Short mmCIF file of all heavy atoms in Angstrom, two decimals:
data_model
loop_
_atom_site.label_atom_id
_atom_site.label_comp_id
_atom_site.label_asym_id
_atom_site.label_seq_id
_atom_site.Cartn_x
_atom_site.Cartn_y
_atom_site.Cartn_z
N MET H 81 9.24 52.72 -26.16
CA MET H 81 7.88 53.22 -25.97
C MET H 81 7.06 52.21 -25.17
O MET H 81 6.93 51.05 -25.57
CB MET H 81 7.20 53.48 -27.32
CG MET H 81 7.73 54.68 -28.06
SD MET H 81 6.77 55.01 -29.57
CE MET H 81 5.24 55.58 -28.85
N PRO H 82 6.47 52.63 -24.06
CA PRO H 82 5.72 51.68 -23.22
C PRO H 82 4.50 51.10 -23.89
O PRO H 82 4.02 50.04 -23.48
CB PRO H 82 5.34 52.52 -21.99
CG PRO H 82 5.42 53.95 -22.44
CD PRO H 82 6.50 53.98 -23.47
N VAL H 83 3.97 51.77 -24.93
CA VAL H 83 2.80 51.25 -25.63
C VAL H 83 3.18 50.31 -26.76
O VAL H 83 2.30 49.72 -27.39
CB VAL H 83 1.93 52.40 -26.18
CG1 VAL H 83 1.37 53.24 -25.05
CG2 VAL H 83 2.71 53.28 -27.15
N ILE H 84 4.48 50.16 -27.03
CA ILE H 84 4.91 49.30 -28.13
C ILE H 84 5.90 48.24 -27.66
O ILE H 84 5.64 47.03 -27.77
CB ILE H 84 5.54 50.11 -29.29
CG1 ILE H 84 4.50 51.01 -29.95
CG2 ILE H 84 6.16 49.17 -30.33
CD1 ILE H 84 5.05 51.86 -31.08
N ALA H 85 7.06 48.67 -27.16
CA ALA H 85 8.19 47.77 -26.94
C ALA H 85 7.88 46.52 -26.11
O ALA H 85 8.21 45.41 -26.52
CB ALA H 85 9.36 48.55 -26.34
N PRO H 86 7.23 46.64 -24.95
CA PRO H 86 7.00 45.42 -24.15
C PRO H 86 5.87 44.55 -24.68
O PRO H 86 5.72 43.40 -24.25
CB PRO H 86 6.66 45.97 -22.76
CG PRO H 86 6.18 47.36 -22.97
CD PRO H 86 6.80 47.85 -24.24
N HIS H 87 5.07 45.08 -25.62
CA HIS H 87 3.87 44.36 -26.07
C HIS H 87 4.07 43.61 -27.38
O HIS H 87 3.21 42.81 -27.76
CB HIS H 87 2.70 45.34 -26.19
CG HIS H 87 2.37 46.03 -24.90
ND1 HIS H 87 1.90 45.36 -23.80
CD2 HIS H 87 2.49 47.34 -24.53
CE1 HIS H 87 1.73 46.23 -22.80
NE2 HIS H 87 2.08 47.42 -23.22
N LEU H 88 5.16 43.85 -28.08
CA LEU H 88 5.46 43.05 -29.26
C LEU H 88 5.86 41.66 -28.82
O LEU H 88 6.30 41.45 -27.69
CB LEU H 88 6.57 43.72 -30.08
CG LEU H 88 6.23 45.07 -30.71
CD1 LEU H 88 7.45 45.69 -31.37
CD2 LEU H 88 5.10 44.92 -31.73
N ARG H 89 5.73 40.69 -29.71
CA ARG H 89 6.10 39.31 -29.40
C ARG H 89 7.10 38.79 -30.41
O ARG H 89 6.77 38.67 -31.56
CB ARG H 89 4.85 38.42 -29.37
CG ARG H 89 3.93 38.73 -28.21
CD ARG H 89 4.60 38.36 -26.87
NE ARG H 89 3.76 38.66 -25.72
CZ ARG H 89 3.79 39.80 -25.05
NH1 ARG H 89 4.62 40.76 -25.42
NH2 ARG H 89 3.01 40.00 -24.02
N PRO H 90 8.34 38.53 -29.95
CA PRO H 90 8.84 38.73 -28.60
C PRO H 90 8.99 40.21 -28.27
O PRO H 90 8.96 41.06 -29.17
CB PRO H 90 10.21 38.04 -28.64
CG PRO H 90 10.65 38.18 -30.06
CD PRO H 90 9.40 38.04 -30.87
N GLY H 91 9.16 40.54 -26.99
CA GLY H 91 9.34 41.93 -26.60
C GLY H 91 10.52 42.56 -27.31
O GLY H 91 11.52 41.88 -27.61
N LEU H 92 10.42 43.84 -27.60
CA LEU H 92 11.44 44.55 -28.37
C LEU H 92 12.57 45.06 -27.48
O LEU H 92 12.34 45.79 -26.52
CB LEU H 92 10.80 45.74 -29.10
CG LEU H 92 11.74 46.68 -29.86
CD1 LEU H 92 12.42 45.95 -31.02
CD2 LEU H 92 10.97 47.90 -30.37
N THR H 93 13.79 44.69 -27.81
CA THR H 93 14.97 45.29 -27.18
C THR H 93 15.11 46.70 -27.71
O THR H 93 15.09 46.92 -28.93
CB THR H 93 16.23 44.47 -27.50
OG1 THR H 93 16.13 43.20 -26.84
CG2 THR H 93 17.49 45.18 -27.04
N SER H 94 15.24 47.67 -26.82
CA SER H 94 15.19 49.06 -27.26
C SER H 94 16.01 49.95 -26.33
O SER H 94 16.19 49.65 -25.15
CB SER H 94 13.73 49.55 -27.27
OG SER H 94 13.62 50.87 -27.79
N MET H 95 16.52 51.05 -26.90
CA MET H 95 17.22 52.05 -26.11
C MET H 95 16.17 52.99 -25.50
O MET H 95 15.30 53.50 -26.20
CB MET H 95 18.17 52.87 -26.98
CG MET H 95 19.14 52.03 -27.81
SD MET H 95 20.16 50.90 -26.85
CE MET H 95 21.09 52.04 -25.82
N GLU H 96 16.26 53.20 -24.20
CA GLU H 96 15.24 54.00 -23.51
C GLU H 96 15.63 55.48 -23.45
O GLU H 96 16.71 55.83 -22.98
CB GLU H 96 15.03 53.49 -22.09
CG GLU H 96 13.96 54.24 -21.32
CD GLU H 96 13.64 53.58 -20.01
OE1 GLU H 96 14.38 53.79 -19.04
OE2 GLU H 96 12.64 52.82 -19.97
N LEU H 97 14.74 56.33 -23.92
CA LEU H 97 14.96 57.77 -23.77
C LEU H 97 14.66 58.16 -22.33
O LEU H 97 13.59 57.84 -21.80
CB LEU H 97 14.06 58.55 -24.73
CG LEU H 97 14.51 58.54 -26.19
CD1 LEU H 97 13.42 59.12 -27.09
CD2 LEU H 97 15.80 59.29 -26.39
N PRO H 98 15.59 58.86 -21.65
CA PRO H 98 15.44 59.13 -20.21
C PRO H 98 14.57 60.35 -19.92
O PRO H 98 15.03 61.35 -19.36
CB PRO H 98 16.90 59.36 -19.78
CG PRO H 98 17.54 59.99 -20.99
CD PRO H 98 16.88 59.34 -22.18
N PHE H 99 13.29 60.28 -20.28
CA PHE H 99 12.43 61.45 -20.15
C PHE H 99 12.27 61.93 -18.71
O PHE H 99 12.37 63.13 -18.43
CB PHE H 99 11.05 61.16 -20.77
CG PHE H 99 11.05 61.26 -22.27
CD1 PHE H 99 11.13 60.13 -23.05
CD2 PHE H 99 10.99 62.49 -22.89
CE1 PHE H 99 11.14 60.22 -24.44
CE2 PHE H 99 11.00 62.60 -24.27
CZ PHE H 99 11.08 61.46 -25.05
N ALA H 100 11.98 61.01 -17.80
CA ALA H 100 11.79 61.42 -16.40
C ALA H 100 13.05 62.07 -15.85
O ALA H 100 13.00 63.10 -15.18
CB ALA H 100 11.38 60.23 -15.55
N GLU H 101 14.20 61.48 -16.16
CA GLU H 101 15.46 62.02 -15.66
C GLU H 101 15.76 63.38 -16.29
O GLU H 101 16.29 64.28 -15.64
CB GLU H 101 16.60 61.04 -15.93
CG GLU H 101 17.95 61.47 -15.40
CD GLU H 101 17.98 61.65 -13.88
OE1 GLU H 101 17.11 61.10 -13.18
OE2 GLU H 101 18.89 62.36 -13.40
N MET H 102 15.40 63.55 -17.57
CA MET H 102 15.59 64.86 -18.21
C MET H 102 14.75 65.92 -17.50
O MET H 102 15.21 67.04 -17.28
CB MET H 102 15.22 64.80 -19.70
CG MET H 102 16.30 64.18 -20.57
SD MET H 102 16.02 64.46 -22.34
CE MET H 102 14.68 63.31 -22.67
N GLY H 103 13.51 65.57 -17.15
CA GLY H 103 12.66 66.51 -16.43
C GLY H 103 13.25 66.88 -15.09
O GLY H 103 13.30 68.06 -14.71
N ARG H 104 13.73 65.87 -14.35
CA ARG H 104 14.32 66.14 -13.04
C ARG H 104 15.58 67.00 -13.16
O ARG H 104 15.75 67.98 -12.41
CB ARG H 104 14.68 64.81 -12.34
CG ARG H 104 13.49 64.08 -11.74
CD ARG H 104 13.92 62.93 -10.86
NE ARG H 104 14.45 61.84 -11.65
CZ ARG H 104 13.72 60.83 -12.11
NH1 ARG H 104 12.43 60.78 -11.86
NH2 ARG H 104 14.28 59.86 -12.81
N ARG H 105 16.46 66.65 -14.08
CA ARG H 105 17.71 67.39 -14.22
C ARG H 105 17.45 68.82 -14.70
O ARG H 105 18.14 69.75 -14.28
CB ARG H 105 18.65 66.67 -15.21
CG ARG H 105 19.32 65.45 -14.65
CD ARG H 105 20.22 65.79 -13.48
NE ARG H 105 21.19 66.81 -13.82
CZ ARG H 105 21.67 67.72 -12.97
NH1 ARG H 105 21.24 67.75 -11.72
NH2 ARG H 105 22.57 68.61 -13.36
N GLY H 106 16.47 68.99 -15.57
CA GLY H 106 16.15 70.33 -16.05
C GLY H 106 15.73 71.25 -14.92
O GLY H 106 16.22 72.38 -14.80
N VAL H 107 14.84 70.76 -14.05
CA VAL H 107 14.38 71.57 -12.93
C VAL H 107 15.51 71.78 -11.92
O VAL H 107 15.67 72.88 -11.38
CB VAL H 107 13.15 70.91 -12.25
CG1 VAL H 107 12.81 71.62 -10.94
CG2 VAL H 107 11.96 70.94 -13.20
#
């Protein structure tokens, strides 16, 4: 989550959900 993961200290290692790519592939 862009509002959480990079702003925690230290930054959070996280699996990224591919939302933009899902939108592109769907269309």
